[in-house]
Amino acid sequence: VDSAELIDGSIDNSHIDAMAASKLTGALPAISGASLTGLKAGSSYFRAYFDIGANWLNLADATKVAFNGTYVNEGSDFDTTNNRYVAPEDGVYVFYFHIYTAEDDESNGFKWRKNNSAVGLQDTGGIYTAGSFYTASDTMVSASLVVQLDADDYIEVFTQGTADVYSGHSSMGGFRLS
């Protein structure tokens, strides 16, 4: 039996056990994603700010940086009442903050906390993942974090030492990567 004896349409899905992708040629039909597995449903991303106007805040050591307003909060996973992002499901997440700081204070520093602890957020040198910039000049401190979270884990930003923060130019954000 060769192709001359085969009637068009006589080979259907029940006659094909497997086929290499390289055998597919020509115009292919639209492919639906309905049968794909392992994909995360929905979106989760946010960008938060200080909902207090433009003010200088003098924050003590180990004080939570209270981003209490949101520009966007897709998935509603950033809680403005307790100033933390709560993971809706297991996955890899990316976070960032930009904090305008200094006002003649040389001890400004900030750090990430996961579930109210810096444990697991250290680099190989044992240094906490932080954005610290010690200068008496006004400056923007920025830091980012890529971290594995389980559902209901949460991320916050705290001061590391005393810090002067200008609320009008500071924000925090993040999103689920996978």
Side-chain angles (χ1 to χ4, degrees):
V1 176
D2 62 21
S3 61
E5 284 87 29
L6 295 175
I7 300 170
D8 283 347
S10 63
I11 308 265
D12 58 18
N13 288 341
S14 66
H15 293 96
I16 299 174
D17 184 28
M19 180 187 299
S22 62
K23 302 278 187 207
L24 299 173
T25 61
L28 298 175
I31 298 173
S32 167
S35 298
L36 297 176
T37 60
L39 300 177
K40 306 278 184 184
S43 297
S44 181
Y45 57 90
F46 75 100
R47 183 159 181 234
Y49 64 96
F50 288 97
D51 191 18
I52 59 171
N55 298 295
W56 278 105
L57 308 172
N58 303 103
L59 304 177
D61 181 33
T63 299
K64 187 189 304 187
V65 181
F67 299 104
N68 59 352
T70 56
Y71 296 110
V72 62
N73 194 6
E74 183 68 33
S76 300
D77 300 311
F78 185 82
D79 187 338
T80 57
T81 60
N82 61 17
N83 318 113
R84 66 172 57 147
Y85 177 86
V86 181
E89 60 185 281
D90 298 357
V92 176
Y93 293 79
V94 177
F95 298 97
Y96 62 87
F97 64 72
H98 307 293
I99 300 175
Y100 191 90
T101 187
E103 195 185 42
D104 300 324
D105 181 353
E106 292 185 1
S107 64
N108 300 297
F110 307 93
K111 63 184 171 185
W112 299 105
R113 294 189 73 140
K114 173 184 172 184
N115 301 333
N116 204 31
S117 175
V119 175
L121 301 181
Q122 297 176 337
D123 65 18
T124 56
I127 306 300
Y128 291 116
T129 303
S132 298
F133 194 87
Y134 303 104
T135 179
S137 300
D138 290 0
T139 190
M140 184 68 76
V141 176
S142 297
S144 59
L145 173 68
V146 178
V147 63
Q148 174 72 42
L149 297 178
D150 294 330
D152 299 322
D153 283 349
Y154 58 91
I155 294 291
E156 302 163 301
V157 177
F158 278 77
T159 58
Q160 182 172 313
T162 60
D164 291 327
V165 173
Y166 187 67
S167 61
H169 300 316
S170 300
S171 65
M172 171 190 180
F175 56 91
R176 187 181 65 225
L177 186 60
S178 68

